[in-house]
Amino acid sequence: MAHVPPARHLLRAKDLADARYAEPLEVDDLARAAGLSKAHFSREFRRAFGDSPHAYLLTRRLERAAALLRTTDHSVADVCLSVGLRSIGSFTTSFTRAFGVSPTAYRAEHPPAASQALVPGCVVRAYARPQHRTFREDKAPTPT
Amino acid sequence: MIRIANAQLWVHDQEEALAFYTQKVGMEVRADVTLPEMDGFRWLTVAPPGQEDVSIVLMTIPQAPVMDGETAEQVRTLMAKGFAGTVFLTTDDCQASYEELKGRGVEFSEAPEERPYGIDSGFRDPSGNSIRLTEVKLPAGV
């Protein structure tokens, strides 16, 4: 087996953040995945990837939260929880710092999620067909 | 007519890569030839069963004089950081392929997810190379 460069272990930690951001994952867990002490890990991770592991995990969560705000109609609180963050208050603060607008404003800036839903053609045909109207519809129904 | 025949991927260790791509990803060996007259160079290629005319070359990082030590170390580091390359695989059923590979011990960094172009997922080989596994579903008219 060839010698494995230390960065390969750091990449394992980065991949863990990308794969399991939705879980209550912390820098300690990432350090464990890399097999390094927390302080040493944070320093090495930053040297390899340019961000501290804390910042990487947080921005991964914010990126995923932004995607959920664009593509779902889940509440801001649900979005926060489903990307592994537990405090709505600090989520709103970090989101606003990262994207320049609050989660609610960010969602309002994007087309509503419903417009992107790839609803099957049969559903569209069934539900979008307008009610039949005649030019005389405002008048009392004519006896048939 | 120009066609793609092989594309090369650096790997840390050819045995490890071979085991991964054949036993876990389910590819087959297309060529495995060692040339003693070329300092033991091993030409090793794998490809998915059923796709006959294209394969991935699993290439070990050369030593000097082919590649100087400093450059080799840079390539090793880039690969370990996950920035040395990506292979884009497609499947007709991303979820099924995901389950299959996961069952064989592949650790995914991205589970299947809806994207505008289909359903996409991703994992890494032992060297750190990024592998996408995508079920392409372009919207009608594209």
Side-chain angles (χ1 to χ4, degrees):
Chain A
M1 179 76 63
H3 160 75
V4 176
R8 185 66 186 92
H9 300 293
L10 299 172
L11 181 59
R12 247 182 268 289
K14 186 168 175 248
D15 284 345
L16 182 68
D18 288 339
R20 295 181 37 199
Y21 60 87
E23 298 171 26
L25 205 63
E26 289 173 19
V27 174
D28 281 335
D29 303 302
L30 303 183
R32 212 167 300 125
L36 296 173
S37 77
K38 192 175 167 184
H40 182 52
F41 166 66
S42 291
R43 204 164 46 240
E44 291 302 310
F45 188 98
R46 190 191 189 102
R47 218 157 61 113
F49 300 116
D51 267 331
S52 72
H54 174 265
Y56 187 80
L57 181 58
L58 178 63
T59 49
R60 167 61 60 238
R61 286 174 161 147
L62 294 176
E63 179 272 328
R64 292 286 79 203
L68 290 174
L69 289 167
R70 294 194 308 269
T71 59
T72 72
D73 55 7
H74 301 170
S75 71
V76 170
D78 281 348
V79 166
C80 164
L81 296 175
S82 55
V83 298
L85 294 170
R86 273 159 294 179
S87 155
I88 318 280
S90 43
F91 165 63
T92 305
T93 307
S94 340
F95 189 97
T96 308
R97 195 175 297 140
F99 290 90
V101 286
S102 71
T104 315
Y106 180 87
R107 171 172 270 166
E109 283 176 1
H110 291 87
S115 71
Q116 298 178 39
L118 296 173
V119 177
C122 55
V123 174
V124 175
R125 282 165 180 254
Y127 286 83
R129 188 169 59 88
Q131 214 170 18
H132 178 64
R133 295 176 197 280
T134 70
F135 291 113
R136 298 188 199 87
E137 68 172 342
D138 291 340
K139 295 178 184 166
T142 40
T144 47
Chain B
M1 185 173 67
I2 294 175
R3 296 170 56 80
I4 294 176
N6 306 306
Q8 174 244 301
L9 207 54
W10 294 122
V11 297
H12 277 313
D13 182 291
Q14 286 180 312
E15 276 307 317
E16 177 192 53
L18 178 62
F20 179 81
Y21 281 99
T22 55
Q23 292 163 22
K24 294 195 174 179
V25 183
M27 293 192 182
E28 58 191 20
V29 177
R30 287 291 162 75
D32 187 355
V33 181
T34 303
L35 304 165
E37 72 276 21
M38 285 172 58
D39 198 24
F41 174 84
R42 183 179 180 192
W43 175 253
L44 176 63
T45 73
V46 294
Q51 190 171 20
E52 300 304 326
D53 61 349
V54 64
S55 64
I56 300 172
V57 185
L58 302 175
M59 188 83 87
T60 203
I61 298 169
Q63 296 177 331
V66 180
M67 187 186 276
D68 68 276
E70 192 188 334
T71 306
E73 197 49 43
Q74 285 171 336
V75 173
R76 257 190 288 278
T77 302
L78 275 180
M79 187 165 57
K81 286 186 182 183
F83 291 120
T86 302
V87 173
F88 297 84
L89 302 176
T90 59
T91 167
D92 49 12
D93 187 340
C94 188
Q95 188 64 37
S97 301
Y98 167 76
E99 301 292 347
E100 188 184 338
L101 268 57
K102 214 176 147 191
R104 290 200 289 254
V106 173
E107 290 172 29
F108 279 76
S109 50
E110 287 174 53
E113 189 185 349
E114 290 276 355
R115 292 280 170 190
Y117 50 82
I119 303 173
D120 204 2
S121 64
F123 59 94
R124 285 189 199 284
D125 77 2
S127 299
N129 295 307
S130 155
I131 319 287
R132 306 300 309 179
L133 179 61
T134 312
E135 177 181 344
V136 179
K137 283 195 291 194
L138 293 176
V142 174

